[in-house]
Amino acid sequence: MRFSFRKRQPKEFLLPQNPILVALDGFTRDQAMAHAERLAPLVGGFKVNDLLDTCGVQIVRDLKQFGRLVMADPKIYDTPKTVANRAAAYCDPQTGVGASLVTVHASAGVDALVAAVQSDGHEGDTHSILAITVLTSFDEEGCQEVYGHPTKAMVLRFARWAALAGCHGIVCSGQELGLLAKHPELKRLKRVVPGISPAWFQAELKDQKRTMTPKEALDAGADYLEIGRALFEKGDPAQNAQRILEEIGFDPTARGGGCGMGDDA
């Protein structure tokens, strides 16, 4: 079964003013909600991954109460029809879930990405599909083993597929941002960047091979920064968030600190 391509340009991506997406990984629901309540005034949104496994889509509804963007990160990889079904479970406004962002592996293919984009059946909605390019856990050797090509070549290929399918953004490491900026056909794709580690965060990110500091990533063209361990592993999370905001030159009190998407983000 092949999915038809929509003959339209991707809609404008509704960006948060604050670029920080807090990765609520490895927490119980109660722990995640407590962190979210405390960090909401300082960040643009929250990302959930394993909480989708332990709490289901209800965690998205729960986090939306803080008025920030909520990124559901199931990293869907399957046949186009199944991708459509799973994406709809997070995207469809009729379910009351309405995740602001939902991730799908670009390596599932263009048809799968198109299916995800079309899954909610609504034109002009505010839900956005992000195409995962090459995981930041891959170095050059790992990317060659899995895909048979260099990292930058694969990120560029997947980004082009995402643009062709009408996705509204991609997930990539900061190290590919310069390459993507050279291709005007990818301009509308927004960049969500994991593997973010401030210079003062000295923990060894053994499972993150392609990393960058928050300021470096933003200067290179990132729109969102996924940050988790730098907030939670050492010290006070709120103080760490404030420190990152100071480094990137963002004052949440001056701009409202929100995601720019209203209470329904």
Side-chain angles (χ1 to χ4, degrees), residues 119-139:
S119 64
D120 54 37
H122 295 279
E123 295 284 348
D125 64 278
T126 59
H127 306 102
S128 300
I129 299 298
L130 298 176
I132 303 284
T133 59
V134 177
L135 297 174
T136 53
S137 58
F138 285 1
D139 56 13

Side-chain angles (χ1 to χ4, degrees), residues 122-242:
H122 295 279
E123 295 284 348
D125 64 278
T126 59
H127 306 102
S128 300
I129 299 298
L130 298 176
I132 303 284
T133 59
V134 177
L135 297 174
T136 53
S137 58
F138 285 1
D139 56 13
E140 282 300 321
E141 182 180 359
C143 187
Q144 285 279 2
E145 288 178 352
V146 173
Y147 297 116
H149 296 281
T151 303
K152 289 185 177 180
M154 290 309 304
V155 170
L156 182 58
R157 177 183 297 181
F158 289 148
R160 284 171 168 161
W161 288 2
L164 180 64
C167 293
H168 309 297
I170 59 172
V171 180
C172 66
S173 90
Q175 295 184 15
E176 288 83 56
L177 292 172
L179 170 68
L180 297 173
K182 296 177 182 178
H183 295 270
E185 72 274 17
L186 306 177
K187 182 178 179 181
R188 290 182 62 106
L189 287 176
K190 301 304 177 180
R191 282 74 159 156
V192 178
V193 179
I196 296 296
S197 179
W200 47 264
F201 182 61
Q202 299 299 316
E204 189 175 350
L205 301 179
K206 293 183 179 179
D207 64 334
Q208 299 277 0
K209 302 295 188 348
R210 306 190 328 277
T211 64
M212 190 168 277
T213 69
K215 190 174 188 310
E216 288 172 340
L218 290 173
D219 288 347
D223 297 290
Y224 297 93
L225 308 174
E226 284 186 34
I227 306 177
R229 278 173 273 185
L231 295 175
F232 297 115
E233 286 197 357
K234 185 177 180 180
D236 179 74
Q239 291 180 4
N240 290 338
Q242 185 62 54

Side-chain angles (χ1 to χ4, degrees), residues 61-118:
R61 299 186 186 99
D62 293 342
L63 288 169
K64 285 179 66 177
Q65 70 181 273
F66 299 111
R68 297 293 182 263
L69 178 153
V70 179
M71 174 178 166
D73 186 31
K75 294 183 173 71
I76 303 170
Y77 181 95
D78 217 307
T79 62
K81 180 61 176 176
T82 302
V83 167
N85 291 341
R86 293 193 63 201
Y90 298 105
C91 289
D92 195 342
Q94 296 179 12
T95 68
V97 177
S100 313
L101 304 166
V102 180
T103 58
V104 177
H105 270 291
S107 56
V110 178
D111 281 354
L113 295 177
V114 172
V117 170
Q118 296 180 348

Side-chain angles (χ1 to χ4, degrees), residues 9 141 245:
Q9 292 294 319
E141 182 180 359
L245 290 172

